[in-house]
Amino acid sequence: MGLCTDYRGQLEASMQDELCDAGFYAQIANEAPTEELRELIISIVGDEYGHARLQASLLGICPAKVSCPPDCPNATGDFCADVEAAIQGELSAIRRYAELAMCAPTLKIRYLLTSILGDEYAHARIWTAMLQAQALCEQKPCCKG
């Protein structure tokens, strides 16, 4: 099966993933050690929800069949471990949006998907900076690596 064979299905899976991310990140916001980090994470939650809405509107032309929501991850209560998971998710999303953009049926849709890709890249940088700041404030590494 080629990369672009099930474009619509991949777009729907991507939308569901964004909804999972919004929920997971909202849980991480509750773990944040400072109010500033909590507010920053909440802004990322809004971005992820916006990405899901954009993809839902793209899919709205031909609505998807009713399906069960995906099994979304939950925060563990360990801020650093959960931020590490968020970074991995953002990096995976960058790859996914690059692939979706390559298969986009129009240039406008390609532009929309690459704009989301740019957001995901920025999120990965923000999450990484959070870990660095946390380690600096605690004068110890926040996580391995």
Side-chain angles (χ1 to χ4, degrees):
M1 192 186 247
L3 176 67
C4 300
T5 303
D6 185 25
Y7 177 76
R8 193 179 186 305
Q10 291 177 42
L11 192 62
E12 184 174 345
S14 178
M15 179 194 69
Q16 295 289 350
D17 188 57
E18 292 289 358
L19 292 171
C20 282
D21 288 348
F24 180 55
Y25 297 171
Q27 292 174 15
I28 297 173
N30 290 329
E31 302 171 347
T34 68
E35 183 63 21
E36 293 83 6
L37 289 178
R38 188 184 74 74
E39 289 178 18
L40 190 57
I41 295 167
I42 289 170
S43 75
I44 295 172
V45 170
D47 289 346
E48 299 297 328
Y49 184 67
H51 298 160
R53 286 188 351 225
L54 188 150
Q55 291 171 87
S57 69
L58 291 175
L59 289 165
I61 296 165
C62 298
K65 295 176 186 167
V66 175
S67 63
C68 294
D71 185 22
C72 298
N74 289 310
T76 65
D78 179 337
F79 180 74
C80 292
D82 290 337
V83 171
E84 284 283 354
I87 292 168
Q88 292 305 313
E90 296 291 353
L91 294 175
S92 176
I94 291 167
R95 184 186 72 249
R96 181 182 68 238
Y97 284 114
E99 292 171 356
L100 283 169
M102 286 180 5
C103 299
T106 68
L107 289 176
K108 288 179 182 182
I109 293 173
R110 180 176 293 168
Y111 170 77
L112 291 171
L113 294 170
T114 55
S115 72
I116 295 174
L117 184 156
D119 288 349
E120 303 294 17
Y121 177 70
H123 295 162
R125 290 186 330 214
I126 292 166
W127 289 115
T128 300
M130 282 184 205
L131 287 183
Q132 303 259 329
Q134 189 68 17
L136 181 63
C137 291
E138 294 177 357
Q139 297 296 314
K140 63 180 182 177
C142 182
C143 55
K144 59 185 181 266

